[in-house]
Structure formats: structure tokens, C-alpha cells
Amino acid sequence: MANPADPLQHHPGEPQREHRPRVLKGGTVITGIQNSEIACTVRNQHAGGAELKLPAEARVPDHFLLYIPLDGVAYRCEVRWRRSERIGVQFNGTEPKPKLHYG
């Protein structure tokens, strides 16, 4: 039985999930295709990655840059999972603000 005082309690046999602080930041997926930018919302973020919410019609490649103006940095991302309008990404490094980004 789960302990209500400890909602992050680990159950045997289940993979342990890293705590991901919830955030609400605007971001831009930059795909590298000529002038291709997709606005997104960063739902949670930690040192190793993030969860992004994207428009339903968005087509995001497996590798891209995620520019978050509030952080002032672009993260090199690799998609780890996809569910409906959300994707989970792993950060594989950072880059300065992309020159082609106008925001």
C-alpha cells in the first residue's frame, strides 16, 4: 500500500523515476530544416532532459535543438518517448542562442 505522506515511494519491480521539477516555460523546437521552428511548452525540466507539449500536428524529428529563451540556451535533444501531444527528450549538450532564431 502506498504511503500518502510519501507520494514518490518506490515500489519493488517498478523502474525508479527521477524527480522532474514542474515548470511552465515557452520554448522553440528548431529542426534544422530551412526556417523550421515549432513553438512548444516545457512542462518539466531537469539536468538530463525535459517533457515538452507540442501542437498535435507538429512533426518533430528524433534529434533537434530546443531553444528556451528564459534559460538563454539551446539544448541538443534526443526524443526518448512520444505520447499524444507530449514528448520526452534527453539533453545531449548545449549551444548558445541559435543565430537563425528571431525570439
Side-chain angles (χ1 to χ4, degrees), residues 23-27 40-45 68-71 75:
V23 297
L24 188 57
K25 298 179 182 178
C40 68
T41 303
V42 181
R43 301 295 302 187
N44 65 52
Q45 181 179 359
I68 302 176
L70 193 60
D71 296 351
Y75 299 92

Side-chain angles (χ1 to χ4, degrees), residues 35-55:
N35 298 324
S36 179
E37 295 186 1
I38 303 165
C40 68
T41 303
V42 181
R43 301 295 302 187
N44 65 52
Q45 181 179 359
H46 55 94
E51 178 183 334
L52 311 178
K53 184 175 183 197
L54 297 143

Side-chain angles (χ1 to χ4, degrees), residues 45-49 64-68 71-78 90-98:
Q45 181 179 359
H46 55 94
F64 60 87
L65 280 178
L66 170 64
Y67 178 61
I68 302 176
D71 296 351
V73 73
Y75 299 92
R76 286 192 298 272
C77 295
E78 178 180 351
Q90 175 180 329
F91 296 150
N92 295 321
T94 60
E95 296 184 11
K97 177 183 175 182

Side-chain angles (χ1 to χ4, degrees), residues 5-25:
D6 184 10
L8 298 177
Q9 182 179 6
H10 179 67
H11 298 281
E14 292 182 5
Q16 195 165 6
R17 188 173 156 173
E18 181 180 346
H19 174 70
R20 298 180 186 132
R22 293 178 190 253
V23 297
L24 188 57
K25 298 179 182 178

